[in-house]
Amino acid sequence: MDLLTVEALERPADDAALRARAAAMPAASPTDALLAGGTWLFSVPQPHLRTLVDLTTLPWPAVSTTPAGVTVAATATIAQLVEQLPHPLVQGCAEALVGSHKVWNVATVGGNIALALPAGPMTTLAVTLDATAVVWPATGGETRLPVADLVVGDRRTLLAAGDVLRAVELPSSALRSRTALRKASLAPLGRSAALLGGRIDGDGAVTLAVTAARARPAVLRFPAAPDTAELDAAVLGLEADGPWFDDPHGTPAWRRAMTRRLAREIVEELT
Ligand SMILES: Cc1cc2nc3c(=O)[nH]c(=O)nc-3n(C[C@H](O)[C@H](O)[C@H](O)COP(=O)(O)OP(=O)(O)OC[C@H]3O[C@@H](n4cnc5c(N)ncnc54)[C@H](O)[C@@H]3O)c2cc1C
């Protein structure tokens, strides 16, 4: 949709220009927003916005390899990620983003994580792989924190006004591990009500990322494949951190039941 209150679209020429512009973003009454793919920004009215600062013209390589793993630029589109990082979990998480290829071609990895919808599948991908978020705070410098800690609730992250999610780093050890993904939704092409990613490492340790069923991602870790009782106890233990998510895509009780079932399926597949 047209954003009728937006008066300016700025395209920073380089990192320094972006950082200077981001530092000037008003925190108290946010009239400026970072623009990535725009698939969410342009999908709902944004009457408070006057200026969009476009990240997508910055020359950040979508996917690059480092000695420690793979760095995915925040501006990498879902389509670029699928093409440049062939991995079953990447493919599965991309397919969990309900949308046409038109959405895949513009929606970005960073936009998905920064938007922080519980059903954000790039968050699922990142949390399953113990990914690190590289953040450029508006105040300067660069910070790193687990993506699992960056997303703190439904549409809530630790990003302050003007903070830029620059990249997501996926460790090579996790990328080498066997993974599994399960999704539950009320309709075959519906938004995820529960989206779980799992990983088994070379030493037998199992990691489960629980997303969509809860407002914020949860990580369950086991030194070895858990039995059903241990797994159930860990899933139900999440309730100590707050209730199951509730929205038109699924009731809390159903999400809890689906999470238990999908967690069992993942452990079974991984082992
Ligand atoms: C048909 C359709 C289906 C969809 N299905 C899903 C779904 O299943 N799950 C889901 O999670 N979403 C879904 N979405 C919502 C949205 O398309 C995705 O979340 C998408 O990944 C958002 O990315 P974007 O690049 O378009 O972000 P934008 O719309 O450009 O931005 C989203 C928000 O993130 C901020 N932002 C963007 N990039 C950065 C950055 N690098 N640093 C800091 N802040 C940033 C923006 O300021 C804005 O607040 C869907 C949308 C459509 C149209």
Side-chain angles (χ1 to χ4, degrees):
M1 67 172 61
D2 291 339
L3 300 181
L4 299 175
T5 57
V6 172
E7 297 157 350
L9 173 65
E10 298 180 12
R11 294 200 161 97
D14 53 27
D15 290 357
L18 167 65
R19 302 211 63 167
R21 184 59 185 82
M25 285 195 169
S29 60
T31 54
D32 305 348
L34 299 169
L35 169 66
T39 57
W40 176 79
L41 266 176
F42 286 98
S43 71
V44 284
Q46 313 277 0
H48 57 290
L49 289 184
R50 301 291 175 273
T51 304
L52 297 177
V53 179
D54 190 355
L55 299 173
T56 61
T57 51
L58 290 156
W60 299 342
V63 175
S64 45
T65 306
T66 68
V70 168
T71 299
V72 181
T75 46
T77 63
I78 310 288
Q80 285 173 325
L81 183 66
V82 167
E83 189 188 307
Q84 296 181 35
L85 185 57
H87 189 287
L89 194 65
V90 170
Q91 182 73 32
C93 287
E95 286 169 3
L97 185 99
V98 181
S100 61
H101 278 266
K102 202 166 157 188
V103 175
W104 268 33
N105 284 331
V106 280
T108 65
V109 173
N112 191 254
I113 294 171
L115 183 59
L117 294 177
M122 294 300 112
T123 302
T124 317
L125 171 72
V127 173
T128 305
L129 296 177
D130 282 331
T132 298
V134 182
V135 176
W136 286 356
T139 49
E142 181 173 281
T143 58
R144 281 177 161 73
L145 74 168
V147 174
D149 295 340
L150 180 76
V151 178
V152 295
D154 178 21
R155 297 278 336 276
R156 292 195 301 120
T157 68
L158 293 181
L159 296 170
D163 287 359
V164 176
L165 176 57
R166 168 62 184 85
V168 174
E169 295 174 337
L170 309 175
S172 53
S173 54
L175 282 166
R176 277 196 303 271
S177 298
R178 200 139 52 84
T179 59
L181 184 74
R182 288 290 188 284
K183 167 179 166 163
S185 60
L186 287 172
L189 292 178
R191 182 167 291 184
S192 307
L195 185 61
L196 274 69
R199 189 182 101 222
I200 186 162
D201 295 336
D203 63 0
V206 169
T207 302
L208 268 183
V210 178
T211 60
R214 308 193 51 82
R216 66 179 297 178
V219 189
L220 300 175
R221 295 185 195 279
F222 307 91
D227 61 25
T228 304
E230 195 186 347
L231 188 59
D232 270 3
V235 168
L236 297 180
L238 293 174
E239 291 171 2
D241 284 336
W244 298 90
F245 194 54
D246 188 9
D247 75 355
H249 301 286
T251 63
W254 185 67
R255 286 178 138 119
R256 177 179 55 191
M258 285 297 107
T259 301
R260 288 174 76 182
R261 185 169 121 185
L262 301 184
R264 289 180 193 182
E265 286 181 13
I266 286 181
V267 170
E268 203 173 309
E269 180 179 329
L270 290 177
T271 55

Short mmCIF file of all heavy atoms in Angstrom, two decimals, residues 33-41 55 74 96-99 103 106-108 110-112 114-115 117 119-121 159 163-165 191, ligand 1:
data_model
loop_
_atom_site.label_atom_id
_atom_site.label_comp_id
_atom_site.label_asym_id
_atom_site.label_seq_id
_atom_site.Cartn_x
_atom_site.Cartn_y
_atom_site.Cartn_z
N ALA A 33 12.19 5.19 9.59
CA ALA A 33 12.33 3.73 9.70
C ALA A 33 13.35 3.24 8.70
O ALA A 33 13.47 3.79 7.59
CB ALA A 33 10.99 3.04 9.46
N LEU A 34 14.06 2.19 9.10
CA LEU A 34 14.93 1.49 8.15
C LEU A 34 14.04 0.68 7.23
O LEU A 34 13.08 0.04 7.68
CB LEU A 34 15.89 0.56 8.90
CG LEU A 34 16.84 1.25 9.87
CD1 LEU A 34 17.55 0.22 10.76
CD2 LEU A 34 17.86 2.10 9.11
N LEU A 35 14.35 0.71 5.96
CA LEU A 35 13.57 -0.02 4.97
C LEU A 35 14.44 -1.14 4.40
O LEU A 35 15.56 -0.89 3.93
CB LEU A 35 13.14 0.92 3.85
CG LEU A 35 12.54 0.27 2.60
CD1 LEU A 35 11.20 -0.40 2.92
CD2 LEU A 35 12.37 1.31 1.48
N ALA A 36 13.95 -2.36 4.46
CA ALA A 36 14.64 -3.47 3.80
C ALA A 36 13.79 -3.88 2.59
O ALA A 36 13.63 -3.09 1.66
CB ALA A 36 14.88 -4.60 4.79
N GLY A 37 13.21 -5.08 2.63
CA GLY A 37 12.38 -5.49 1.49
C GLY A 37 11.06 -4.74 1.41
O GLY A 37 10.43 -4.66 0.36
N GLY A 38 10.61 -4.22 2.55
CA GLY A 38 9.36 -3.46 2.59
C GLY A 38 8.11 -4.32 2.57
O GLY A 38 7.01 -3.81 2.51
N THR A 39 8.28 -5.66 2.63
CA THR A 39 7.09 -6.52 2.51
C THR A 39 6.17 -6.40 3.72
O THR A 39 4.98 -6.63 3.62
CB THR A 39 7.48 -8.00 2.32
OG1 THR A 39 8.30 -8.41 3.42
CG2 THR A 39 8.21 -8.21 1.01
N TRP A 40 6.72 -6.03 4.86
CA TRP A 40 5.85 -5.73 6.00
C TRP A 40 5.58 -4.23 6.07
O TRP A 40 4.43 -3.81 6.24
CB TRP A 40 6.49 -6.20 7.32
CG TRP A 40 5.63 -5.79 8.47
CD1 TRP A 40 4.48 -6.42 8.90
CD2 TRP A 40 5.77 -4.63 9.30
NE1 TRP A 40 3.93 -5.72 9.94
CE2 TRP A 40 4.69 -4.61 10.21
CE3 TRP A 40 6.72 -3.61 9.36
CZ2 TRP A 40 4.54 -3.61 11.17
CZ3 TRP A 40 6.56 -2.61 10.32
CH2 TRP A 40 5.48 -2.62 11.21
N LEU A 41 6.64 -3.41 5.89
CA LEU A 41 6.46 -1.96 6.05
C LEU A 41 5.35 -1.42 5.16
O LEU A 41 4.57 -0.57 5.56
CB LEU A 41 7.77 -1.24 5.71
CG LEU A 41 8.69 -0.92 6.88
CD1 LEU A 41 9.98 -0.29 6.38
CD2 LEU A 41 8.03 0.01 7.90
N LEU A 55 18.06 0.29 3.11
CA LEU A 55 19.30 -0.46 3.35
C LEU A 55 19.73 -1.24 2.11
O LEU A 55 20.88 -1.69 2.02
CB LEU A 55 19.10 -1.47 4.48
CG LEU A 55 18.73 -0.92 5.86
CD1 LEU A 55 18.41 -2.08 6.80
CD2 LEU A 55 19.88 -0.10 6.41
N ALA A 74 22.18 -8.79 6.47
CA ALA A 74 20.78 -8.57 6.84
C ALA A 74 19.94 -8.31 5.59
O ALA A 74 18.76 -8.63 5.55
CB ALA A 74 20.67 -7.39 7.80
N ALA A 96 8.75 -22.00 5.02
CA ALA A 96 7.82 -21.71 6.12
C ALA A 96 7.36 -20.27 6.10
O ALA A 96 6.39 -19.92 6.78
CB ALA A 96 8.49 -22.02 7.46
N LEU A 97 8.05 -19.41 5.35
CA LEU A 97 7.57 -18.04 5.19
C LEU A 97 6.44 -18.08 4.18
O LEU A 97 6.65 -18.33 3.01
CB LEU A 97 8.67 -17.11 4.68
CG LEU A 97 8.25 -15.66 4.62
CD1 LEU A 97 8.76 -14.90 5.84
CD2 LEU A 97 8.76 -14.96 3.38
N VAL A 98 5.26 -17.87 4.71
CA VAL A 98 4.09 -18.00 3.85
C VAL A 98 4.08 -16.83 2.89
O VAL A 98 3.96 -15.69 3.29
CB VAL A 98 2.82 -18.00 4.70
CG1 VAL A 98 1.60 -18.15 3.82
CG2 VAL A 98 2.88 -19.10 5.72
N GLY A 99 4.24 -17.11 1.65
CA GLY A 99 4.23 -16.02 0.67
C GLY A 99 4.66 -16.55 -0.67
O GLY A 99 5.25 -17.62 -0.78
N VAL A 103 7.36 -12.52 -2.74
CA VAL A 103 7.80 -12.13 -1.39
C VAL A 103 9.22 -12.61 -1.15
O VAL A 103 10.07 -11.86 -0.66
CB VAL A 103 6.82 -12.67 -0.32
CG1 VAL A 103 7.34 -12.37 1.08
CG2 VAL A 103 5.43 -12.08 -0.51
N VAL A 106 12.04 -10.33 -2.35
CA VAL A 106 12.33 -9.02 -1.75
C VAL A 106 12.47 -9.06 -0.23
O VAL A 106 13.23 -8.28 0.34
CB VAL A 106 11.26 -7.95 -2.14
CG1 VAL A 106 11.52 -7.39 -3.50
CG2 VAL A 106 9.87 -8.48 -2.02
N ALA A 107 11.73 -9.93 0.42
CA ALA A 107 11.82 -10.01 1.89
C ALA A 107 13.24 -10.40 2.29
O ALA A 107 13.84 -11.28 1.68
CB ALA A 107 10.83 -11.04 2.42
N THR A 108 13.76 -9.75 3.31
CA THR A 108 15.15 -9.99 3.70
C THR A 108 15.26 -10.79 5.00
O THR A 108 14.32 -10.82 5.81
CB THR A 108 15.90 -8.66 3.89
OG1 THR A 108 15.32 -7.97 5.01
CG2 THR A 108 15.83 -7.79 2.64
N GLY A 110 17.31 -10.02 7.45
CA GLY A 110 17.34 -9.05 8.56
C GLY A 110 15.98 -8.48 8.86
O GLY A 110 15.61 -8.29 10.04
N GLY A 111 15.20 -8.21 7.82
CA GLY A 111 13.86 -7.67 8.03
C GLY A 111 12.98 -8.66 8.77
O GLY A 111 12.19 -8.29 9.65
N ASN A 112 13.16 -9.93 8.45
CA ASN A 112 12.35 -10.96 9.12
C ASN A 112 12.70 -11.05 10.60
O ASN A 112 11.82 -11.13 11.46
CB ASN A 112 12.57 -12.31 8.43
CG ASN A 112 11.58 -13.35 8.90
OD1 ASN A 112 11.93 -14.25 9.64
ND2 ASN A 112 10.33 -13.22 8.49
N ALA A 114 14.31 -8.69 12.45
CA ALA A 114 14.05 -7.41 13.13
C ALA A 114 12.56 -7.18 13.35
O ALA A 114 12.16 -6.56 14.34
CB ALA A 114 14.64 -6.26 12.32
N LEU A 115 11.74 -7.70 12.46
CA LEU A 115 10.29 -7.55 12.62
C LEU A 115 9.80 -8.35 13.83
O LEU A 115 8.88 -7.95 14.53
CB LEU A 115 9.59 -8.00 11.34
CG LEU A 115 8.07 -7.86 11.29
CD1 LEU A 115 7.66 -6.41 11.50
CD2 LEU A 115 7.52 -8.38 9.97
N LEU A 117 8.17 -11.21 14.29
CA LEU A 117 6.92 -11.95 14.43
C LEU A 117 7.28 -13.31 15.02
O LEU A 117 8.31 -13.89 14.65
CB LEU A 117 6.25 -12.14 13.06
CG LEU A 117 5.75 -10.88 12.36
CD1 LEU A 117 5.17 -11.25 10.99
CD2 LEU A 117 4.71 -10.17 13.20
N ALA A 119 6.27 -16.06 14.25
CA ALA A 119 6.39 -17.02 13.14
C ALA A 119 7.47 -16.61 12.15
O ALA A 119 7.43 -17.02 10.99
CB ALA A 119 5.05 -17.14 12.42
N GLY A 120 8.44 -15.85 12.59
CA GLY A 120 9.53 -15.43 11.70
C GLY A 120 10.49 -16.59 11.44
O GLY A 120 11.28 -16.96 12.32
N PRO A 121 10.47 -17.18 10.26
CA PRO A 121 11.26 -18.40 10.05
C PRO A 121 12.77 -18.16 9.96
O PRO A 121 13.55 -19.08 10.17
CB PRO A 121 10.72 -18.95 8.73
CG PRO A 121 10.14 -17.78 8.02
CD PRO A 121 9.66 -16.83 9.07
N LEU A 159 16.73 -4.24 19.62
CA LEU A 159 17.19 -3.15 18.75
C LEU A 159 16.49 -1.85 19.17
O LEU A 159 15.27 -1.80 19.26
CB LEU A 159 16.86 -3.44 17.28
CG LEU A 159 17.56 -4.64 16.65
CD1 LEU A 159 16.96 -4.95 15.27
CD2 LEU A 159 19.06 -4.38 16.52
N ASP A 163 19.28 1.41 15.54
CA ASP A 163 20.20 0.25 15.56
C ASP A 163 19.96 -0.55 14.28
O ASP A 163 18.82 -0.84 13.91
CB ASP A 163 19.91 -0.67 16.75
CG ASP A 163 20.37 -0.09 18.08
OD1 ASP A 163 20.93 1.02 18.08
OD2 ASP A 163 20.14 -0.76 19.11
N VAL A 164 21.06 -0.92 13.64
CA VAL A 164 20.96 -1.67 12.38
C VAL A 164 21.41 -3.11 12.63
O VAL A 164 22.50 -3.34 13.16
CB VAL A 164 21.86 -1.04 11.29
CG1 VAL A 164 21.82 -1.88 10.02
CG2 VAL A 164 21.44 0.40 11.01
N LEU A 165 20.56 -4.03 12.27
CA LEU A 165 21.01 -5.43 12.23
C LEU A 165 21.82 -5.56 10.94
O LEU A 165 21.28 -5.42 9.85
CB LEU A 165 19.81 -6.38 12.23
CG LEU A 165 20.10 -7.86 12.09
CD1 LEU A 165 21.04 -8.36 13.18
CD2 LEU A 165 18.81 -8.68 12.07
N ARG A 191 0.01 -19.39 8.26
CA ARG A 191 1.17 -18.95 9.04
C ARG A 191 1.48 -19.98 10.12
O ARG A 191 0.57 -20.60 10.67
CB ARG A 191 0.88 -17.58 9.67
CG ARG A 191 2.06 -17.06 10.45
CD ARG A 191 1.92 -15.62 10.82
NE ARG A 191 2.00 -14.75 9.65
CZ ARG A 191 1.98 -13.42 9.73
NH1 ARG A 191 1.89 -12.83 10.89
NH2 ARG A 191 2.06 -12.69 8.65
C1 LIG B 1 2.14 -12.67 1.80
C2 LIG B 1 3.03 -12.42 3.01
C3 LIG B 1 3.32 -13.46 3.85
C4 LIG B 1 4.13 -13.26 4.98
N1 LIG B 1 4.40 -14.35 5.79
C5 LIG B 1 5.20 -14.18 6.87
C6 LIG B 1 5.53 -15.29 7.73
O1 LIG B 1 5.08 -16.41 7.52
N2 LIG B 1 6.34 -15.05 8.78
C7 LIG B 1 6.86 -13.81 9.03
O2 LIG B 1 7.63 -13.65 9.98
N3 LIG B 1 6.56 -12.77 8.24
C8 LIG B 1 5.75 -12.90 7.19
N4 LIG B 1 5.45 -11.83 6.41
C9 LIG B 1 5.89 -10.48 6.85
C10 LIG B 1 7.19 -10.03 6.14
O3 LIG B 1 7.06 -10.14 4.75
C11 LIG B 1 8.44 -10.82 6.54
O4 LIG B 1 8.58 -10.84 7.95
C12 LIG B 1 9.71 -10.28 5.87
O5 LIG B 1 10.78 -11.17 6.08
C13 LIG B 1 10.08 -8.90 6.36
O6 LIG B 1 11.30 -8.55 5.72
P1 LIG B 1 11.46 -7.22 4.87
O7 LIG B 1 12.85 -7.22 4.36
O8 LIG B 1 10.40 -7.07 3.85
O9 LIG B 1 11.26 -6.13 6.03
P2 LIG B 1 10.65 -4.66 5.99
O10 LIG B 1 9.18 -4.71 5.74
O11 LIG B 1 11.46 -3.78 5.10
O12 LIG B 1 10.96 -4.24 7.50
C14 LIG B 1 10.36 -4.90 8.58
C15 LIG B 1 10.76 -4.21 9.89
O13 LIG B 1 12.12 -4.49 10.20
C16 LIG B 1 12.90 -3.28 10.26
N5 LIG B 1 14.20 -3.63 9.64
C17 LIG B 1 14.36 -4.18 8.41
N6 LIG B 1 15.66 -4.46 8.21
C18 LIG B 1 16.32 -4.07 9.32
C19 LIG B 1 17.69 -4.13 9.72
N7 LIG B 1 18.65 -4.66 8.93
N8 LIG B 1 18.03 -3.64 10.94
C20 LIG B 1 17.08 -3.13 11.76
N9 LIG B 1 15.76 -3.07 11.45
C21 LIG B 1 15.39 -3.54 10.24
C22 LIG B 1 12.10 -2.24 9.50
O14 LIG B 1 12.38 -0.94 9.95
C23 LIG B 1 10.68 -2.67 9.83
O15 LIG B 1 10.31 -2.22 11.12
C24 LIG B 1 4.65 -12.00 5.27
C25 LIG B 1 4.35 -10.94 4.40
C26 LIG B 1 3.56 -11.13 3.29
C27 LIG B 1 3.27 -9.97 2.38
#
